[in-house]
Amino acid sequence: MKKVTKIAEAANTKVKLKKIRVAAYCRVSTDSDAQLESLEAQKTHYETYITSRDDWEFAGLYYDEGITGTKKDKRPELMRLIGDCKAGRIDFIVTKSISRFSRNTTDCLELVRKLLDLNIPIFFEKENINTGSMESELFLAILSGMAESESVSISENSKWSIQKRFENGTFKCSYPPYGYDWDGEQMVINPEQAAVVKEIFAALLSGKGTHAIADDLNRRGVSSKRGGRWTATTIRGMLSNEKYVGDCLFQKTYSDSQFVRHNNHGEQTQYMVTEHHEPIISREDFEAARIFISQRASEKGVTKGTDKYQNRYAFSGKIICGECGDTFKRRIHSCTDHKYIAWCCNTHIKDKDRCHMLFVKDDALKQAFTTMLNKLIFSHRQILKPYLESLKTSSSDDSLHRIQQIQTLLAQNTEKRETLTMLMTQGIIDPVLYSQETNELLSQADSFRDEIEALKNEVSGDVNKVTETTALIHFAEKSAMLQEFDKDLFDRYVKRIIVHSRNDIRFELKCGLTLRERK
């Protein structure tokens, strides 16, 4: 008799491993066509490199164009990458080399340590270094130091070349001030802008202030150098610019050993070249303007370089009118027996019929801020912690997934254009059809990039809110109640103030909350 034995199926021993979310970072230090082509090649390489591995999940591509590698805080995409790491969206980072990541040893080690604290290693392809498997930072420090030394050497060579051109008067001002154009060899007068420059000097010498001059130019729709609005600061800079009398002062600024740029107040040698180009303003008018500005500053007790000159008031530029949307201006009001500081809507000052917002006393704003912050300190568990949790739960996973989809579509778009180019060069398709199809693909690519940028801003905003809320909670947990207004705390946590009335003041915090104080 046949005997049948049932053999049960073996348990599935395969365990589905969680994919590692891998992001890539790349950078080029100039925005030249050749460097940007290099950046495109890096982007294509990393998209293919990451998506080709089954155990890796593409977590995004971060790239900085035309930005120095010597200072980490000058690279927005690198900072966004770090922010996304803190938000828990990335597990592993791939980059081309240490020099692409950072040419500053201190910054490089600081970033590596910060990411390792988050359990996120970095793989440097060129050096074949994986920071997650390193027993010591010594090798990384040596290679990073070499990258920094190379950057310093290049910088010093460039400085030496510029210095020699300063000394022999051959340095070219390829970006001239308002009133001049660059013809490829020298500065030449722009007649239309030169007329505005002469008008500015004439207005000042007739007794008009720099704010009034700027307001008049804006009212008439006169375009500034970069097409923006005129400000009193811009006007003051023009009135002290020696280029308008035909001279050039070289080395007005300099970079220190940490690659930080400073105004040159005698720390470095300067070079004055007289009669460098055709003047717009006579030397007599230029000197008269300098004396006039100096006298006005003396009357107000303001000396350039002092704390009073350099420090802005706490609320400057941060108070918004709830009625018309304009900013508030600081003014001194007088009563019968005393004076006090008040903040007034700029529109109301110019035309009371256009905005009816009344002024708010400086002391009232300071008291309102102090009260608001004390309430947060007292009840941060009931306000800030639930808000932080809601920010974390409303994650940006959908946005990140959409960004990845669009980046894939963008890569496919590039492949299609390359295919069209190949077909056209081989004579397979007509040049007219090639031009029509390529233009459509380029337009589609631009739309993809615009959508990616919008999604990146949305994701970045959520990360910033989480970071700012966490910082505010840490402060509230440790701080005692405030007894008086603290300017540093205001600058740290407040984005702006919206005044709806003297009795309704709202503080828009950097963490995204808007809190109302009523009197």
Side-chain angles (χ1 to χ4, degrees), residues 267-278:
E267 295 86 354
Q268 299 287 331
T269 304
Q270 293 183 316
Y271 303 86
M272 174 66 82
V273 180
T274 57
E275 299 180 3
H276 178 272
H277 52 272
E278 186 179 354

Side-chain angles (χ1 to χ4, degrees), residues 334-466:
S334 299
C335 290
T336 54
D337 57 346
H338 71 284
K339 295 181 179 181
Y340 60 90
I341 301 168
W343 293 85
C344 311
C345 172
N346 274 306
T347 301
H348 179 82
I349 293 171
K350 297 171 186 175
D351 187 351
K352 295 180 181 179
D353 293 329
R354 288 175 55 202
C355 180
H356 304 88
M357 183 64 65
L358 300 177
F359 69 85
V360 182
K361 289 185 176 181
D362 185 78
D363 288 342
L365 289 171
K366 290 177 177 178
Q367 182 181 352
F369 169 75
T370 305
T371 303
M372 180 275 297
L373 204 55
N374 279 336
K375 288 180 180 178
L376 277 183
I377 293 171
F378 180 76
S379 55
H380 63 273
R381 291 185 180 85
Q382 292 75 32
I383 298 174
L384 295 178
K385 290 194 174 181
Y387 175 65
L388 178 61
E389 291 304 316
S390 68
L391 286 175
K392 289 181 176 180
T393 53
S394 60
S395 66
S396 305
D397 289 346
D398 291 341
S399 297
L400 290 170
H401 182 62
R402 178 57 182 162
I403 288 174
Q404 294 171 13
Q405 288 180 329
I406 299 172
Q407 286 173 333
T408 301
L409 293 173
L410 201 53
Q412 293 172 355
N413 181 286
T414 302
E415 290 177 4
K416 289 179 182 177
R417 281 187 280 126
E418 290 173 349
T419 302
L420 282 171
T421 302
M422 180 187 69
L423 293 174
M424 197 272 288
T425 54
Q426 293 176 356
I428 298 175
I429 63 173
D430 185 81
V432 176
L433 178 61
Y434 165 78
S435 179
Q436 180 182 345
E437 293 293 328
T438 299
N439 287 337
E440 288 181 5
L441 287 170
L442 288 171
S443 176
Q444 184 186 59
D446 288 339
S447 298
F448 286 153
R449 292 190 185 95
D450 289 342
E451 187 176 352
I452 287 174
E453 190 62 31
L455 289 168
K456 283 181 177 179
N457 290 336
E458 178 184 320
V459 172
S460 178
D462 290 344
V463 173
N464 287 338
K465 287 179 181 178
V466 170

Side-chain angles (χ1 to χ4, degrees), residues 99-274:
S99 63
R100 292 295 90 191
F101 191 66
S102 178
R103 288 185 183 270
N104 183 306
T105 306
T106 304
D107 282 352
C108 184
L109 293 177
E110 179 188 334
L111 290 170
V112 168
R113 289 167 182 163
K114 184 181 293 185
L115 290 168
L116 286 178
D117 286 341
L118 298 170
N119 199 28
I120 301 174
I122 309 173
F123 178 63
F124 299 100
E125 282 192 293
K126 181 180 177 181
E127 295 83 5
N128 194 29
I129 293 177
N130 185 333
T131 61
S133 60
M134 290 174 62
E135 296 180 359
S136 170
E137 293 180 336
L138 179 59
F139 192 45
L140 179 63
I142 292 171
L143 293 175
S144 181
M146 291 171 63
E148 181 176 356
S149 297
E150 178 191 357
S151 180
V152 170
S153 176
I154 293 170
S155 175
E156 290 302 320
N157 289 339
S158 177
K159 285 180 183 178
W160 182 87
S161 173
I162 293 172
Q163 193 86 13
K164 289 301 177 185
R165 282 180 278 156
F166 283 163
E167 291 177 3
N168 58 32
T170 59
F171 184 82
K172 295 182 178 181
C173 302
S174 57
Y175 188 77
Y178 185 89
Y180 290 96
D181 291 325
W182 180 252
D183 68 356
E185 288 295 327
Q186 61 183 348
M187 290 166 54
V188 294
I189 291 178
N190 179 313
E192 184 179 345
Q193 293 181 1
V196 176
V197 174
K198 292 177 180 178
E199 179 187 332
I200 289 171
F201 275 85
L204 180 90
L205 294 175
S206 69
K208 213 169 185 179
T210 53
H211 284 281
I213 295 172
D215 289 343
D216 182 55
L217 293 172
N218 289 327
R219 179 180 55 78
R220 289 157 44 200
V222 178
S223 180
S224 67
K225 179 73 175 177
R226 297 184 179 179
R229 289 178 58 81
W230 293 88
T231 65
T233 302
T234 304
I235 301 297
R236 282 194 292 271
M238 292 175 65
L239 292 167
S240 61
N241 193 334
E242 80 290 339
K243 291 182 177 65
Y244 292 121
V245 295
D247 299 340
C248 261
L249 178 63
F250 294 136
Q251 197 147 299
K252 291 181 178 179
T253 62
Y254 69 95
S255 295
D256 61 21
S257 59
Q258 299 300 314
F259 308 100
V260 177
R261 185 154 291 277
H262 304 276
N263 289 322
N264 187 359
H265 298 297
E267 295 86 354
Q268 299 287 331
T269 304
Q270 293 183 316
Y271 303 86
M272 174 66 82
V273 180
T274 57

